[in-house]
């Protein structure tokens, strides 16, 4: 397949915000992802009380699921609407505070303290701000990143990983000539060159 057909395609942050406003969020699933259920033991690897990162988190229900298992969850999402819908749909009280290191960014944290969602661009984060993670659930994240930003995204993710952390990545296999994305087509060869 001609993977170059999507190389120049860009979805702007404004377009993502509009998708949320219009309710054009077919990517959101009410049920936990079957692949997380299948591979959760690989993610956890017998460990408890992990710090788990959800890049480009939307209002993914798996955040609640992992938090309920006793892990601490950190997400990042550009849409404040998405973040607020997450907390309200799970009836979770939260508080909201500015992030001093990132102008305009806010952090929404469940009152219980185990779910923290940063409302900003992922490219504004660093391990100095959010620390490092024992596990990553990347569904609808790498495949939503604009192809021109993939290298930057992968470098950041590697930087946010603790030694011995596990990274579960979901991609979508299809003919990139037939759909302009997102989700974008990310072939396995590219995943190898991005993450080694
Ligand atoms: N992972 C989620 C959402 C996938 S859709 C799920 O499984 O349901 C991708 C999400 O990334 C959208 O909610 C979009 O608003 C958000 N997003 C896009 N670009 C972003 C960026 N640069 N930083 C943070 N969030 C971003």
């Amino acid at each position: 397949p001609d993977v170059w057909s999507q190389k120049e395609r860009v979805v702007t942050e404004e377009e993502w915000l509009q998708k949320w406003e219009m309710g054009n969020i077919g990517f959101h699933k009410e049920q936990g992802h079957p692949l997380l259920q299948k591979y959760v033991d690989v993610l956890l690897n017998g460990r408890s009380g992990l710090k788990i990162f959800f890049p480009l988190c939307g209002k993914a229900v798996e955040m609640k699921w992992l938090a309920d298992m006793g892990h601490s969850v950190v997400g990042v999402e550009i849409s404040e609407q998405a973040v607020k819908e997450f907390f309200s749909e799970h009836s979770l009280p939260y508080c909201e505070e500015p992030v001093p290191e990132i102008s305009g960014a806010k952090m929404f944290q469940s009152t219980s303290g185990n779910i923290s969602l940063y409302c900003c661009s992922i490219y504004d984060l660093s391990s100095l701000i959010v620390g490092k993670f024992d596990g990553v659930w990347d569904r609808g994240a790498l495949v939503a990143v604009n192809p021109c930003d993939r290298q930057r995204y992968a470098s950041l993710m590697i930087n946010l990983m603790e030694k011995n952390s596990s990274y579960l990545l979901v991609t979508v296999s299809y003919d990139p000539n037939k759909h302009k994305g997102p989700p974008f087509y990310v072939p396995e060869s590219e995943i190898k060159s991005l993450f080694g």
Side-chain angles (χ1 to χ4, degrees), residues 166-181:
S166 340
Y167 191 124
L168 293 186
L169 170 68
V170 183
T171 63
V172 187
S173 181
Y174 68 90
D175 180 348
N177 295 302
K178 294 190 174 146
H179 175 67
K180 62 187 167 72

Side-chain angles (χ1 to χ4, degrees), residues 6 34 40 44 49 55 63 65 74 85 92-93 108 125 127 170 182 184:
Q6 294 179 342
V40 69
L44 304 178
M63 297 194 284
W65 190 58
V74 175
E85 286 180 10
L92 289 170
F108 294 77
L125 291 186
S127 57
V170 183
F184 295 110

Side-chain angles (χ1 to χ4, degrees), residues 13 16 20 27 56-58 60 77-78 120-123 139-140 144:
E13 290 180 5
W16 281 110
W20 279 100
F27 52 81
L56 280 62
C57 61
E77 168 55 52
I78 198 81
C120 61
S121 171
I122 189 168
Y123 305 113
R139 181 268 170 183

Side-chain angles (χ1 to χ4, degrees), residues 45-181:
N45 196 17
R47 303 167 296 172
S48 55
L50 300 189
K51 198 174 154 189
I52 299 177
F53 187 48
F54 279 65
L56 280 62
C57 61
K59 53 175 181 178
V61 299
E62 295 85 1
M63 297 194 284
K64 173 79 166 49
W65 190 58
L66 285 165
D68 286 346
M69 289 171 70
H71 304 289
S72 108
V73 168
V74 175
V76 59
E77 168 55 52
I78 198 81
S79 164
E80 181 167 332
Q81 181 186 338
V83 169
K84 288 183 166 165
E85 286 180 10
F86 172 79
F87 288 112
S88 67
E89 288 170 14
H90 295 281
S91 309
L92 289 170
Y94 63 92
C95 53
E96 139 180 12
E97 55 187 58
V99 183
E101 299 91 339
I102 311 170
S103 102
K106 285 188 225 169
M107 198 266 275
F108 294 77
Q109 188 172 55
S110 61
T111 307
S112 52
N114 54 354
I115 304 178
S116 305
L117 305 185
Y118 286 79
C119 186
C120 61
S121 171
I122 189 168
Y123 305 113
D124 292 331
L125 291 186
S126 72
S127 57
L128 294 175
I129 301 170
V130 289
K132 294 194 184 234
F133 297 93
D134 307 302
V136 177
W137 172 245
D138 182 324
R139 181 268 170 183
L142 174 63
V143 298
V145 163
N146 292 317
C148 58
D149 294 325
R150 275 179 197 159
Q151 186 63 61
R152 185 183 181 197
Y153 174 85
S155 304
L156 172 64
M157 295 305 290
I158 290 166
N159 201 257
L160 292 180
M161 290 173 77
E162 203 68 84
K163 280 197 185 67
N164 299 317
S165 65
S166 340
Y167 191 124
L168 293 186
L169 170 68
V170 183
T171 63
V172 187
S173 181
Y174 68 90
D175 180 348
N177 295 302
K178 294 190 174 146
H179 175 67
K180 62 187 167 72

